[in-house]
Structures are given as C-alpha cells and as structure tokens.
Amino acid sequence: MSATPALHSSGGPGGPAAGNGSSGAHAPKDPLSAVESASSEAILRVLRVTLHTGFAALLVVGVVRLLAPGSRGSFPLLWAGLALVLAAVYLTGTVLEHRHAAGRIRLNPRRYGLQWLAAVTALWVLLLVGSADFAWLAFPLFFLHLHLLPRRAALLTIALMTAAVIASQWSASGDPVPHAAAVVGPLFGAAFAVITGLAYVALYREAENQRRAADELRRTRQELAASQHEAGVLAERERLAREIHDTLAQGLSSIVLLARAAEQSLAHGDPVTAASRVALMQQTAAGNLAEARSFVRGLSSPQLHDTTLVEALRRLCEETGQSAAAGGAALRCRLEVDGEPAELPQTHQVALLRAAQASLANVRDHANAGNAVVTLTFLGTEVTMDLYDDGVGFDPDLAGGAGAAGARAAGAGTAGPGTAGTGTARKGHDGGADGSGFGLRSLRERVEALNGSLELETSPGEGTVVAIRLPLDHAGGDVRG
C-alpha cells in the first residue's frame, strides 16, 4: 500500500525500493547530506520526503483556503472533513507500509496497493468537485500512479486527472472559455511529473541493482570467508597429521619395540638389559610428550631448541642406533655434512628434521639394514639431504598405495628376517587400512610446501635413497656443527 517506490524498502506492489534495505543501511540520514553524497539512495530519500511533505502542504493549503472568510465554496465543513479522511487514508497506507518494511507487522499492505490508490484518487476527485483549491494535489498523485500502475495505465489516468484539473479551474473561473494559463499550467505540470517519474524509475532501478550487487558481494564475502575457514581447518588438520605421524607415531612404534625387547630380556633373566631398555622407553616417551606439547602450540620441534639442525640430526642418528640395538638389530647410523653449515629458516629446519625422523624410523623398523647414512649438504642457494640405507628396499610402485614402509615390509619376507617382522607381518605400518600409510605422502607435501622436491630411489634388495632438496632465498650465517 506504499505511496511511492521510495517510501519504504518494500516500495508497494512494484517491488522493493532501494531506499532502505541492506545496501542503504549506512546511508546518510540527513536529506541534505544525502543530496551531497549524490547517491541513488540519497536522491530517492529526498524525493520520498519531498513527495509526502508536498502532499501534506498542498492538502493543508486547500483546507485553509476552503475555510478562509469569503470562500465561494459551499459546505466548507463537509469538504474539510473529507480532506481529513483523505489525510487519514494516505497516512494509514504509508505508516502500514513503513511498519511492514521494518518487520514490525506481518500484514503485507502491498497486496492492497491498488485499492489504496483508488481510494486516495476517489477522495481527491470528490474534493475537487467541492473546491478547485484541491486541484494541485494532482501533482504528487501523478507519482503514485506512475509507480503503482503499469506505464500505459498510469499515463491514461494522469491524462484524465489533468483534464479534471483543467475542468475544475475553468469551472471556478466562471469564464466561458478556459484561460490559457489554466490549460497550459496543468499540462506542463503533468508532463513534468511524467518526465520526473520516469527519471525516478531509472534511479529506482539503479538503486535496486546496487542493492542486489551489495547483497551478492556480501554473500560472496561470506562464502569466501567460509571457504577460507574450511581451508584453514583442513590445513591445520594436515599439519597435525604430519606432526603426529613424524613424531608421536614413530615414537610410539619405538616404545612398542623397546617394550618387546625389555620383555624378552626379562624372560631370559637379564634385568640389567631390561632396565636399560625401560630407561630408553622413558626417554622416548618424554621426547614424544615434549613434541606433542610443541606442535599443539604450533611451535618448532623441541629437538631444535637451543641447538642447531646439524646437532639435532647427529643426536637423532645416535638415538636411532640405540633404539635399533635395544630391539636386537645392528644398525649403524651416522651423519655426514658437506659444505659450510648455514643458518636455515625455521621451517626448513623443521621439515628436514621431520623427514629424517620419519625416514630413519622406517629404516629402523622395516629395512633390515646394517647401515644408514644421512648426508646434509649446504650449497649456498639450496640445501639437500640424502638418506641412504642398505636394507631390503622395496618396489616404489607399491609406495603410492601402501607407503614406503608397507611396501618395504611386504618384501621383507624374501629378503630375510628383520627385527620388525617379515613378509606381510608388518605390512600396513605405513600403508595399511588403519590410515598409517601417510609417511611418504606427508613427507612429499611437507617438502613441496617449501617449493622443494623429493626423489625416491629404491628397488627390492638394493636399499633405499631418499633425496630432498630445499631452495634458499638467501644464505644465512654460520652454524656450529
């Protein structure tokens, strides 16, 4: 039941106006400020206020002239009362539309927009019969017809209303022939109203497009934020999965092997060896606990605290040898450093340490190797790390589905007994249905995230070489080895 498309956000039967709504939520409230902003929203608001103010002012002027002494009209109180009815109907429609647009009432007055327009127009025609002073109310009514009616119907009703205004002016003048001004004035007024109304419709459509564009932009931003949040969650999940695999999973595997070795020592009546293996279990568990606390906080590995990468790798080699010996294997693991050690970014140090931890754990548990060599090479613009073992090797084609350890363990049955079991007994440690086939893929993802590369060279019975290359943006300082 809206009076004009700029009246409220829902704008009558013609559709929602852009005068309110999400896109106009931050528009200036002062009409003069709105005009200065030169936005469609501001212009529509000014037109809205001007239209209602003009209608009220013209209605008041007509009533005052009707009741003024010397007025030639008859039954002035009757026409004044009818003017009050017109004001009440007009105000009721606009207030209901405003309350509906603000969500304060559930009744949708837009369904009664045409009936409301007909009532307002009919009351105006009756007032026009009583007094020609109400003729000028036709001009704000022109805008209502242009908005609420189809264009052709609106032009027809405007023409009829213009003719009624001319007739009332002619009748009030008492002249046998209407004066030119009484004809030209209403015609120019109607033409101006039509042109202004068409321009208003163009502004209205532009404001609608702006509102829809703003809604689409807001929806796109929300979708982008949700996508970024989901990507962040997945990235954090991947980070935790890598950290768990390269630290806790490998540490727990070592603890299991050490527990079995300690049990065997006790069974053979060797409590001293059992005690040493239990002590090594405690050391491994303490290290895993520190790792867990560290990666939950998103920090670097505790093994890199107050030390260098070279020292951490050398200590890792020693621990790998000790862990293998506790399990009854004779694995000699050593570190070789080529080039002048340089300070590496923390991300590079963590990636190389994690790669060494995962690879040496696989060598210890599955390779049945006698020797493992970690070679760290500083080349100025890049750093490389090669991890070699002379164990059973594996079929690299199986690594894609079963993982390096699973493929290596699958071939251990033909290569001879190993400390980790033979045949398919250990298959799946890094590639089974339990989700443990994560090592090689995790390692590759970690390296590629730093724009590096990982190459794998192996075959059954020929040992394995994992070659990692990480580029450096700049050379760092020296590191004590």
Side-chain angles (χ1 to χ4, degrees), residues 45 57 88 100 103 125 129 147 161 183-184 210 229 235 248 254 266 273 283 344 348 356 358 368 410-411 420 456 477:
R45 179 174 295 159
H100 173 71
V125 171
V129 173
H147 171 60
M161 293 169 67
V183 177
V184 174
Q210 292 177 355
H229 174 73
L248 299 184
S254 298
L266 290 176
T273 303
Q283 178 183 347
L344 302 179
H348 288 53
N368 193 25
L456 180 67

Side-chain angles (χ1 to χ4, degrees), residues 361-433:
N362 281 333
V363 172
R364 178 197 63 207
D365 295 342
H366 307 291
N368 193 25
N371 296 277
V373 180
V374 180
T375 304
L376 185 64
T377 305
F378 296 89
L379 299 175
T381 59
E382 63 181 19
V383 59
T384 66
M385 184 173 69
D386 299 330
L387 301 109
Y388 162 77
D389 71 80
D390 58 2
V392 298
F394 59 93
D395 186 349
D397 293 335
L398 297 179
R408 200 194 309 258
T414 59
T419 60
T422 60
T424 59
R426 298 292 296 173
K427 184 176 181 179
H429 171 80
D430 201 29

Side-chain angles (χ1 to χ4, degrees), residues 107-270:
L107 175 66
N108 186 1
R110 287 176 290 174
R111 293 179 294 179
Y112 309 101
L114 294 180
Q115 293 89 328
W116 175 82
L117 179 64
V120 170
T121 304
L123 289 171
W124 170 75
V125 171
L126 291 176
L127 287 174
L128 193 61
V129 173
S131 174
D133 293 326
F134 294 101
W136 308 116
L137 283 173
F139 296 107
L141 293 179
F142 288 161
F143 291 98
L144 302 185
H145 284 256
L146 286 170
H147 171 60
L148 295 177
L149 295 178
R151 180 173 298 180
R152 291 184 179 181
L155 293 177
L156 176 60
T157 57
I158 289 174
L160 294 175
M161 293 169 67
T162 304
V165 170
I166 295 174
S168 68
Q169 295 294 321
W170 181 18
S171 175
S173 67
D175 297 331
V177 178
H179 193 273
V183 177
V184 174
L187 289 177
F188 269 102
F192 176 79
V194 170
I195 295 174
T196 304
L198 295 177
Y200 180 85
V201 169
L203 286 174
Y204 170 75
R205 290 175 178 173
E206 179 185 351
E208 269 295 284
N209 292 334
Q210 292 177 355
R211 181 187 65 81
R212 291 170 182 169
D215 291 342
E216 181 66 24
L217 178 60
R218 186 177 297 105
R219 183 164 50 252
T220 302
R221 287 179 175 175
Q222 292 174 348
E223 292 175 355
L224 179 59
S227 176
Q228 290 176 340
H229 174 73
E230 182 179 359
V233 170
L234 292 177
E236 180 64 9
R237 186 178 300 169
E238 287 290 326
R239 182 187 76 86
L240 290 176
R242 287 195 298 265
E243 296 296 334
I244 290 173
H245 176 273
D246 294 343
T247 57
L248 299 184
Q250 306 298 347
L252 291 175
S253 177
S254 298
I255 291 174
V256 170
L257 294 177
L258 291 171
R260 291 174 180 172
E263 183 180 10
Q264 292 177 359
S265 298
L266 290 176
H268 290 84
D270 189 359

Side-chain angles (χ1 to χ4, degrees), residues 1-2 4-12 15-17 19-22 48 93-110:
M1 202 187 296
S2 173
T4 169
L7 175 60
H8 303 298
S9 63
S10 52
N20 266 340
S22 58
R48 175 171 64 244
T94 57
V95 169
L96 287 177
E97 179 62 28
H98 177 73
R99 291 175 64 85
H100 173 71
R104 298 175 184 173
I105 59 175
R106 301 183 62 180
L107 175 66
N108 186 1
R110 287 176 290 174

